[in-house]
């Protein structure tokens, strides 16, 4: 079936052609023609990624009467993100229909602005149940004349505890309307919702659970529970170009894994329900723009995050519900690309994995956690590729070439390459030197892991370095750069050899990580110091980077685009030497300059 054959108006066909839609997805094939020609209610089992928004959005726009002033369609969805995403999609589909308006209303945002929008009129309202209910109670939203009611991600709305609001809203809708219920899963609550609120509904299920699911390979790694985190790092190191969501089970686990992962130098952040809306927006924005390579998230928080290019989904913790696994893994392998869904399990979880295999009808392939040699080789060639592909700033570099050649005089090409590679690579080689085997070996289903292996296994903790993230009220506006910051630390800390981690210079303030043992010393020493007329204020950031940053949303990494090519951040690494007069632009006289911070290098990974 083609879009032309569905009976959609030419204005809509033109808009979706502009969006690059060539043919309807399976769910669109089934819903669009049904909705255009029938008033019967509909229940669709479909997940994000199947094209479900267009499946209900296109026929609703098509059938909307532009002569009627009242709201004709109410779309209810679980989160603000999804609400905004649906609105964005509806705006695009209705681009060529003059006067068509979709109004988003959701909690956690200024209600007066939303009231103003509602007063100015629109044909479709998309909202979260709490806010919609509130607006109806206050008689600011009138849904007594709606012709279509759409419940999107109905299962998720129930999981999030919106049952009461949904009941209240649904009881105020007119009898004569068409209700469409979309849900990724069909628990009993959804079945009873269908029985209570829908009449004679046809039920459809998209044959393929997800448009991209066919392109997803399912891998698992079997390790001891205590080695999960180490395994995650090895996976991340083994796929240096990955762009992934790492799913954890709880908010606490998400926070803990993310904090450790960031402290270990990975380009990641956390997304969970303890963050404020602004913080979640900020993290999601950075992930969407590929400023973050990995997002550590809970299932609920990751809802509504529509990213089509994930290379990996990593199940740090396996979900209890097989449907949740299917949903997670369906986030990769979209838009014709292939993807990998990785699950880290321990021996006890094998039974659950088998259950998921059975329900999803996907074959899981056991992969061995890569060892040090394998990872180092991967990283080496990744580095060489980056060197080969880096953009060269010929005009800036040309003038230094004679001097550089002079310095290398007497060294062979091989030697020079070895030096360059070692500079970047020694840290990794050191880290993975004698790396132990993390794989649990199974014999006839029994763990045959030897006692010796276990004894050797206590590598977590130990002399691991802990970083504390600090905030300082100076940034680019004060001409502070990474080297200058290291210079200041150098100057004011009473101790030498303080390890410095990630540095993030923003416009009026900055963040940096410092060995936790020196946090207090440094805060005491630098607080209230006056530098170039500016009174320094410095303190500990209690939580993730995201939580501290929404005050300056305009933050963009410099140095161009991709998560591997960004700048601004970076690892100063290194120990400090020497002291200088304090100034913000101090080049530090230390390793900050050497290590390429501020030059657009991607953040370095510190292996602790
Ligand atoms: P959804 O399941 O609504 O979240 O859609 C997933 C993604 O698929 C979105 O980025 C849509 O813009 C895109 N999409 C939806 N329908 C089509 C189609 N027929 N052809 C190509 N892309 C589509």
């Amino acid at each position: 079936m083609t879009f032309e054959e569905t009976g959609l108006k030419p204005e809509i066909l033109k808009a979706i052609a502009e969006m690059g839609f060539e043919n309807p997805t399976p769910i669109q094939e089934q819903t669009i023609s049904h909705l255009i020609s029938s008033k019967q209610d509909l229940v669709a089992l479909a997940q994000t990624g199947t094209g479900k928004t267009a499946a209900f959005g296109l026929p609703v726009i098509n059938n909307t009467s532009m002569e009627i002033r009242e709201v004709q369609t109410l779309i209810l969805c679980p989160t603000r993100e999804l609400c905004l995403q649906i609105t964005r999609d509806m705006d695009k589909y209705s681009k060529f229909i003059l006067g068509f308006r979709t109004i988003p209303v959701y909690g956690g945002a200024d209600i007066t602005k939303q009231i103003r929008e509602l007063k100015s009129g629109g044909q479709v309202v998309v909202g979260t149940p709490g806010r919609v209910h509130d607006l109806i109670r206050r008689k600011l939203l009138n849904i007594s004349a709606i012709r279509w009611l759409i419940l999107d991600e109905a299962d998720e709305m129930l999981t999030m505890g919106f049952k009461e609001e949904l009941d209240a809203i649904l009881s105020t809708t007119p009898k004569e309307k068409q209700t469409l219920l979309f849900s990724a899963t069909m628990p009993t609550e959804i079945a009873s919702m269908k029985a209570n609120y829908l009449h004679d509904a046809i039920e459809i299920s998209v044959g393929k659970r997800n448009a991209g699911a066919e392109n997803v390979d399912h891998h698992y790694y079997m390790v001891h529970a205590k080695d999960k985190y180490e395994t995650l790092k090895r996976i991340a190191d083994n796929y240096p170009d990955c762009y992934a969501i790492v799913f954890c089970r709880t908010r606490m686990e998400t926070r803990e894994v993310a904090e450790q992962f960031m402290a270990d130098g990975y380009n990641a952040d956390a997304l969970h329900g303890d963050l404020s809306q602004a913080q979640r927006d900020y993290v999601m924005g950075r992930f969407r723009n590929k400023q973050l390579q990995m997002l550590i998230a809970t299932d609920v928080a990751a809802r509504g995050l529509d990213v089509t290019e994930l290379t990996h989904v990593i199940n740090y913790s396996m979900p209890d519900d097989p449907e949740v696994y299917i949903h997670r893994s369906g986030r990769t392998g979209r838009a014709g690309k292939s993807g990998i869904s990785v699950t880290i399990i321990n021996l006890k979880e094998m039974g659950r994995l088998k259950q998921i295999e059975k329900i999803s009808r996907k074959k899981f392939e056991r992969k061995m956690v890569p060892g040090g040699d394998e990872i180092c080789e991967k990283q080496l060639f990744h580095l060489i590729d980056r060197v080969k592909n880096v953009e060269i700033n010929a005009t800036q570099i040309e003038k230094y070439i004679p001097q550089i050649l002079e310095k290398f005089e007497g060294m062979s090409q091989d030697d020079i390459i070895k030096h360059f590679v070692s500079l970047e690579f020694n840290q990794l080689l050191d880290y993975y030197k004698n790396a132990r085997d993390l794989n649990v070996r199974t014999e006839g289903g029994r763990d045959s892991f030897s006692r010796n292996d276990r004894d050797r296994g206590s590598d977590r903790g130990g002399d691991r370095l802990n970083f504390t993230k600090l905030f300082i009220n100076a940034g680019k506006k004060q001409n502070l750069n990474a080297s200058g910051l290291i210079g200041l630390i150098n100057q004011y800390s009473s101790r030498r050899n303080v390890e410095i981690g990630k540095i993030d210079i923003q416009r009026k303030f900055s963040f940096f990580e410092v060995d936790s043992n020196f946090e207090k010393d440094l805060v005491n020493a630098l607080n209230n110091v006056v530098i170039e007329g500016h009174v320094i204020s410095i303190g500990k950031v209690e939580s993730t980077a995201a939580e501290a940053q929404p005050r300056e949303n305009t933050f963009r990494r410099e140095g161009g685009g991709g998560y591997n090519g960004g700048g601004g951040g970076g690892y100063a690494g290194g120990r400090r030497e020497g002291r200088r007069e304090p100034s913000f632009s101090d080049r530090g006289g230390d390793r900050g300059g050497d290590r390429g911070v501020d030059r657009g290098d991607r953040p370095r990974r510190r292996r602790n």
Side-chain angles (χ1 to χ4, degrees):
M1 183 188 248
T2 63
F3 275 118
E4 283 71 22
E5 285 162 351
T6 57
L8 290 169
K9 288 178 181 168
E11 296 94 314
I12 300 176
L13 294 177
K14 187 172 164 198
I16 57 175
E18 262 191 16
M19 292 173 73
F21 291 14
E22 286 171 8
N23 291 303
T25 62
I27 191 167
Q28 290 164 2
E29 275 194 17
Q30 294 189 63
T31 46
I32 296 174
S33 30
H34 170 79
L35 284 176
I36 286 183
S37 57
S38 163
K39 295 243 173 300
Q40 200 180 356
D41 288 349
L42 179 138
V43 172
L45 264 180
Q47 301 178 342
T48 306
T50 51
K52 66 183 167 65
T53 316
F56 62 75
L58 300 177
V60 158
I61 296 169
N62 193 78
N63 292 0
T64 297
S65 163
M66 296 305 289
E67 276 81 54
I68 302 174
R69 264 197 62 81
E70 283 89 11
V71 175
Q72 292 168 57
T73 302
L74 175 65
I75 304 172
L76 294 169
C77 63
T79 63
R80 163 194 154 120
E81 288 76 33
L82 189 56
C83 180
L84 289 169
Q85 194 188 310
I86 294 172
T87 308
R88 273 196 300 270
D89 286 351
M90 294 292 281
D91 287 346
K92 285 188 205 153
Y93 309 148
S94 61
K95 183 176 163 192
F96 296 109
I97 300 182
L98 207 68
F100 196 99
R101 279 190 77 216
T102 302
I103 303 169
V105 293
Y106 44 84
D110 182 9
I111 198 165
T112 47
K113 196 165 158 252
Q114 294 175 2
I115 294 168
R116 230 180 4 245
E117 292 285 304
L118 286 171
K119 284 197 172 138
S120 64
Q123 295 79 11
V124 178
V125 169
V126 189
T128 49
R131 180 56 58 97
V132 167
H133 182 223
D134 194 18
L135 289 163
I136 293 173
R137 267 192 308 129
R138 292 159 70 170
K139 302 213 179 326
L140 294 161
L141 170 62
N142 178 3
I143 54 163
S144 61
I146 58 165
R147 296 162 68 194
W148 294 278
L149 171 68
I150 291 152
L151 304 164
D152 193 16
E153 301 204 351
D155 51 349
E156 201 54 36
M157 288 197 278
L158 293 180
T159 308
M160 290 172 77
F162 283 131
K163 170 104 177 50
E164 258 176 49
E165 285 87 350
L166 286 174
D167 284 340
I169 297 167
L170 266 57
S171 67
T172 65
T173 55
K175 234 178 153 57
E176 283 297 308
K177 65 176 182 299
Q178 191 172 21
T179 303
L180 318 176
L181 185 154
F182 289 80
S183 183
T185 58
M186 195 37 96
T188 43
E189 294 87 347
I190 294 287
S192 67
M193 212 169 161
K194 180 185 161 206
N196 291 337
Y197 293 113
L198 280 71
H199 306 286
D200 185 28
I202 66 155
E203 209 171 292
I204 61 167
S205 161
V206 202
K208 282 188 256 167
R209 285 182 185 280
N210 182 291
E214 293 306 307
N215 303 330
V216 180
D217 287 329
H218 301 262
H219 296 169
Y220 74 95
Y221 295 87
M222 196 191 290
V223 299
H224 289 291
K226 68 174 175 54
D227 288 332
K228 263 169 73 168
Y229 178 71
E230 186 64 28
T231 304
L232 176 65
K233 289 206 297 183
R234 295 225 189 150
I235 294 169
D237 285 341
N238 201 40
Y239 293 108
D241 275 329
C242 76
Y243 177 48
I245 300 183
V246 179
F247 284 101
C248 292
R249 193 190 294 270
T250 61
R251 293 170 186 193
M252 177 129 78
E253 185 179 70
T254 306
R255 200 170 37 231
E256 281 173 5
V257 171
E259 276 172 11
Q260 188 65 61
F261 208 49
M262 287 189 282
D264 284 346
Y266 293 84
N267 184 15
D269 210 334
L271 188 70
H272 52 74
D274 287 344
L275 303 181
S276 72
Q277 188 58 56
Q279 290 161 347
R280 285 207 296 266
D281 285 349
Y282 180 79
V283 174
M284 284 198 273
R286 297 209 329 137
F287 188 60
R288 262 193 219 106
N289 297 336
K290 296 186 176 164
Q291 290 166 313
L292 289 176
Q293 188 172 358
M294 293 171 96
L295 189 69
I296 324 286
T298 56
D299 290 291
V300 172
R303 284 248 164 187
L305 177 69
D306 184 32
V307 181
T308 44
E309 295 155 48
L310 293 184
T311 60
H312 290 74
V313 161
I314 299 176
N315 297 281
Y316 184 78
S317 284
M318 196 169 37
D320 291 324
D321 182 353
E323 291 285 347
V324 174
Y325 175 84
I326 294 164
H327 199 179
R328 286 181 183 178
S329 60
R331 287 176 158 277
T332 183
R334 289 191 186 170
K337 300 212 172 82
S338 59
I340 298 176
S341 173
V342 170
T343 307
I344 304 172
I345 60 165
N346 61 44
L347 203 66
K348 285 194 215 131
E349 293 173 317
M350 196 60 204
R352 271 202 0 250
L353 191 89
K354 291 267 175 237
Q355 200 189 356
I356 294 177
E357 252 189 342
K358 210 165 128 205
I359 292 177
S360 64
R361 293 197 209 99
K362 301 286 174 209
K363 188 88 199 106
F364 281 67
E365 191 185 335
R366 179 168 182 187
K367 293 281 176 187
M368 290 300 168
V369 181
D373 282 354
E374 199 179 333
I375 291 174
C376 288
E377 188 181 318
K378 261 279 187 53
Q379 292 270 341
L380 173 65
F381 288 102
H382 182 250
L383 168 67
I384 301 299
D385 286 343
R386 278 175 54 219
V387 169
K388 260 187 87 171
N389 297 330
V390 71
E391 209 174 298
I392 294 174
N393 190 333
T395 45
Q396 288 290 321
I397 292 174
E398 210 64 55
K399 60 184 177 221
Y400 300 114
I401 293 293
Q403 249 178 303
I404 294 172
L405 288 177
E406 209 175 297
K407 281 188 184 283
F408 283 133
E409 212 173 271
M411 284 171 81
S412 69
Q413 187 187 16
D414 267 20
D415 281 342
I416 294 173
I417 291 174
K418 278 180 202 156
H419 276 257
F420 269 105
V421 168
S422 300
L423 186 68
E424 179 85 21
F425 210 49
N426 282 350
Q427 201 185 2
L428 188 74
L429 288 172
D430 268 358
Y431 179 76
Y432 277 118
K433 195 164 64 188
N434 305 325
R436 67 196 170 86
D437 182 6
L438 300 180
N439 295 291
V440 168
R441 269 148 282 153
T442 51
E443 255 171 32
R446 286 189 52 228
D447 181 2
S448 66
F449 202 45
S450 74
R451 201 171 167 278
N452 278 346
D453 284 340
R454 272 199 195 108
D455 290 346
R456 271 191 273 130
S458 58
D459 70 335
R460 296 213 43 208
D463 58 359
R464 179 192 293 281
L465 191 63
N466 277 322
F467 282 106
T468 297
K469 181 170 232 168
L470 296 178
F471 161 90
I472 184 166
N473 66 336
K476 287 178 189 156
K477 192 159 181 250
Q478 285 76 27
N479 288 327
L480 182 71
N481 57 22
S483 305
L485 182 63
I486 296 167
L488 279 184
I489 299 167
N490 218 5
Q491 183 106 22
Y492 283 91
S493 162
S494 61
R495 309 278 286 272
R496 294 175 70 85
N497 300 336
V498 176
E499 279 281 346
I500 301 159
K502 196 169 183 174
I503 293 178
D504 185 357
I505 307 280
Q506 301 208 13
R507 205 162 64 82
K508 291 186 187 159
F509 54 83
S510 306
F511 300 98
F512 62 98
E513 293 167 335
V514 67
D515 181 346
S516 301
N517 295 320
F518 299 102
E519 165 214 330
K520 285 208 176 76
D521 168 53
L522 193 64
V523 169
N524 289 339
L526 258 171
N527 241 337
N528 297 322
V529 164
V530 181
I531 298 171
E532 294 176 1
H534 187 79
V535 183
I536 293 292
S537 166
I538 177 171
K540 184 175 174 184
V541 177
E542 290 297 341
S543 202
T544 67
E547 281 166 285
Q549 293 180 7
R551 290 196 277 163
E552 193 171 15
N553 298 334
T554 51
F555 170 52
R556 291 273 182 283
R557 280 169 55 146
E558 290 155 0
Y563 47 82
N564 282 324
Y571 274 78
R575 296 170 201 284
R576 302 160 304 101
E577 297 144 32
R579 292 192 169 228
R580 299 185 158 219
E581 277 302 298
S583 89
F584 287 120
S585 53
D586 194 341
R587 295 304 299 172
D590 56 55
R591 303 266 223 54
D594 299 343
R595 301 291 305 261
V597 284
D598 253 15
R599 290 194 319 225
D601 285 2
R602 85 186 168 126
R604 282 161 212 280
R605 291 170 177 183
R606 180 189 304 283
R607 277 142 189 107
N608 298 309

